Amino acid sequence: VQVNQLVSEHSGLDVLINNAGIFMMEDERTEDGFDVTMQVNHLSHFLLTSLLLDSLMKAADERGDARIVNHSSIARWIGPPLTSEYFSQSEKGTLGGNASLAKMNRYHFSKLCNALFTMALHKKFQEKGSP
């Protein structure tokens, strides 16, 4: 992975900021079958962070700290409870269609996933002794 090569050339990675995001998208799927909103807003952050986690942990061990900043939205508070269908592969049009409320719900779920992921990462770093 190119990102790991870049990190190794520059003595590690101390900060990762995940800020990609889209809003009010049609009920479409990526080529691998995930909701476009969920993939851009959350799954891409999850993948990049997972690929870089060893480098971040190494920085925390060597320099005493590493940070991951996951941008979310207040929209994570406004919407129905999260169900697995929103972060699973699915068919186009099966996550509420293209009405404004359905688009907002998909955004809400992606931002809720950001917050849950951030909480899990925080716990992981605390276990390693990083603030």
Side-chain angles (χ1 to χ4, degrees):
V1 176
Q2 284 183 329
V3 125
N4 285 321
Q5 180 182 350
L6 182 66
V7 167
S8 68
E9 291 171 4
H10 296 279
S11 71
L13 180 67
D14 298 282
V15 178
L16 172 63
I17 300 173
N18 291 313
N19 189 34
I22 56 175
F23 180 65
M24 298 298 283
M25 300 300 292
E26 300 289 310
D27 193 357
E28 299 284 336
R29 299 299 168 272
T30 61
E31 75 177 46
D32 51 348
F34 292 99
D35 172 59
V36 170
T37 301
M38 184 62 76
Q39 184 147 325
V40 170
N41 293 359
H42 175 66
L43 296 175
S44 64
H45 297 178
F46 179 87
L47 177 60
L48 183 60
T49 302
S50 297
L51 292 171
L52 294 172
L53 196 55
D54 288 342
S55 295
L56 288 154
M57 294 296 231
K58 183 178 178 186
D61 289 342
E62 291 177 1
R63 294 183 280 281
D65 199 11
R67 299 288 169 162
I68 301 170
V69 178
N70 289 322
H71 285 240
S72 188
S73 167
I74 196 157
R76 70 183 181 276
W77 296 107
I78 305 165
L82 179 64
T83 59
S84 63
E85 67 196 58
Y86 284 90
F87 52 91
S88 302
Q89 292 174 317
S90 60
E91 296 295 319
K92 175 182 172 181
T94 59
L95 298 178
N98 294 321
S100 293
L101 181 59
K103 291 176 182 180
M104 186 64 203
N105 283 342
R106 288 191 299 276
Y107 181 75
H108 152 74
F109 292 132
S110 71
K111 295 300 160 181
L112 181 56
C113 285
N114 289 154
L116 295 171
F117 181 48
T118 301
M119 291 169 57
L121 286 171
H122 179 70
K123 181 178 179 185
K124 187 177 198 90
F125 271 82
Q126 279 191 319
E127 289 170 356
K128 292 283 288 181
S130 181

